Each structure stands twice: as structure tokens, then as C-alpha cells.
Amino acid sequence: MLLVVCSLAFIWALRQALAKHPVRIRDSFYRGMYPLVPFFLALLLLGMQLLPLVIGGGLYSAVVSGGIAIHWYEKALFILIFVGLGLWSLRMITASIFALYIVALPDMTPLRAYRSARKLVYGRRLLIWRKLIFLPIVLLLLAIIIELPLILFLTPVAEWVFFALSMLTLPIVHGYLYNLYREML
């Protein structure tokens, strides 16, 4: 719940900052909470779109660990099924990620936001996937560059730096995704 509340506050603050309006933290949490229910429903839709990936992973795990798929071609078949279901989920959630930003607009319903987001990403999914994959790779590399020397040489400080980096991740992710959303408009 805290993640949802902070996400809505960051989205509202980003909108205000890019519109060159003054931004106060208090206003971010007060005024940014009006789309709480539609945002939560859009997030629920995003979660349901991950079901094919979960089913594919569970199926592959059950088949391999249960000894049903023994030969390489049987395992390859179930890997293909898993990858296919995963790509289907990825295709669906590409639009849902941007629906989370659209649903935060005034008088927007989750289904209208999802339809609008689908139109927005139509024909650009591969470009969006490339940009979405870039973000976690860069964040992971930065965390390794910062944390690894601390873990090796200043172990007591590493925990606090990791905590600070974790707190900075949410605004960075929202800023990146919101700018990506604005680029596509």
C-alpha cells in the first residue's frame, strides 16, 4: 500500500514539475491521492496480465521437477511454451505500465486508460521493450558499482547505502517511465 501511495505522489509531483508549477511534498500526498481506486484497479489489471507468465513458469517447473520432461526436446518444448506465455504477458503489460500514468489523469477510468495506453504503444512495443530493459540493467550496474566497494571495504556502511539506494529507486523508475510516456505522446 505504501508503494501505491508513494507512486501516486511521485506521479502527481512529476506532472506538476513538468508543468512548471510549484511542488510541495504535502500537496503531492494530499492532491495526488484522488485516483487511488482507479490506480489500484489498473495495477490489479497489470497483475492479472502476469498470469500467463506465472502459469508458464509453474507448468515448466512442475514438468521438469516432476520428471515428466526427461529428454532435451521435451524440455525445449516446455521452455518454448514458457517463453511464449512470458512474451504474451510482456506484450500485455507494456500497455498497462503506461495505463498506470494515464489513469492518474482526472476523470479517467482504468479501462479507458488501458485502451488509451494500448493505442499509445501500438506498433512501438519493441522500441518500448528496449527502453524498459535498459532501466533495470543501468540500475543494477549502478548498484553494483556503488555497493561492491562498500561491501568489500566498509561493510557496516553498505547496509545504509543500500537502504538509501533502494529509496531512490522508486522516484528514478517513475521519472524514467513518465518521461518515456511523455515522449510517446
Side-chain angles (χ1 to χ4, degrees):
M1 192 65 182
L2 186 61
L3 183 69
V4 170
V5 168
C6 289
S7 293
L8 283 170
F10 286 129
I11 292 169
W12 186 88
L14 282 169
R15 279 211 170 96
Q16 297 304 313
L18 292 174
K20 307 246 189 287
H21 295 143
V23 177
R24 294 189 330 200
I25 294 173
R26 181 187 69 196
D27 290 341
S28 295
F29 283 97
Y30 287 154
R31 294 184 182 170
M33 294 306 118
Y34 67 88
L36 182 63
V37 173
F39 185 85
F40 184 72
L41 291 174
L43 198 60
L44 187 65
L45 176 65
L46 190 138
M48 288 189 329
Q49 290 172 342
L50 288 172
L51 282 177
L53 175 69
V54 171
I55 291 169
L59 179 67
Y60 177 75
S61 176
V63 165
V64 171
S65 66
I68 297 170
I70 300 170
H71 301 290
W72 68 268
Y73 55 87
E74 293 171 333
K75 290 179 182 178
L77 173 69
F78 284 102
I79 286 175
L80 285 174
I81 292 171
F82 171 62
V83 168
L85 289 172
L87 287 174
W88 184 29
S89 282
L90 183 62
R91 183 185 183 283
M92 289 188 294
I93 67 168
T94 304
S96 294
I97 289 170
F98 297 110
L100 293 174
Y101 295 97
I102 296 171
V103 81
L105 293 170
D107 299 325
M108 185 61 70
T109 64
L111 288 178
R112 274 186 30 213
Y114 180 68
R115 286 186 201 116
S116 190
R118 269 195 357 225
K119 290 177 188 173
L120 191 66
V121 302
Y122 183 76
R124 301 191 258 187
R125 279 193 170 85
L126 291 177
L127 173 72
I128 294 168
W129 289 353
R130 181 177 56 94
K131 290 184 177 188
L132 288 177
I133 289 171
F134 172 76
L135 179 64
I137 290 171
V138 167
L139 287 175
L140 184 64
L141 286 175
L142 283 174
I144 289 171
I145 290 170
I146 294 171
E147 278 292 315
L148 194 59
L150 291 174
I151 291 171
L152 294 174
F153 302 114
L154 292 171
T155 306
V157 177
E159 184 178 340
W160 292 102
V161 172
F162 180 77
F163 177 69
L165 289 175
S166 298
M167 289 180 54
L168 289 174
T169 302
L170 188 65
I172 290 170
V173 168
H174 278 298
Y176 182 81
L177 291 176
Y178 189 74
N179 281 330
L180 182 58
Y181 161 67
R182 299 261 314 205
E183 284 177 16
M184 292 186 337
L185 292 178

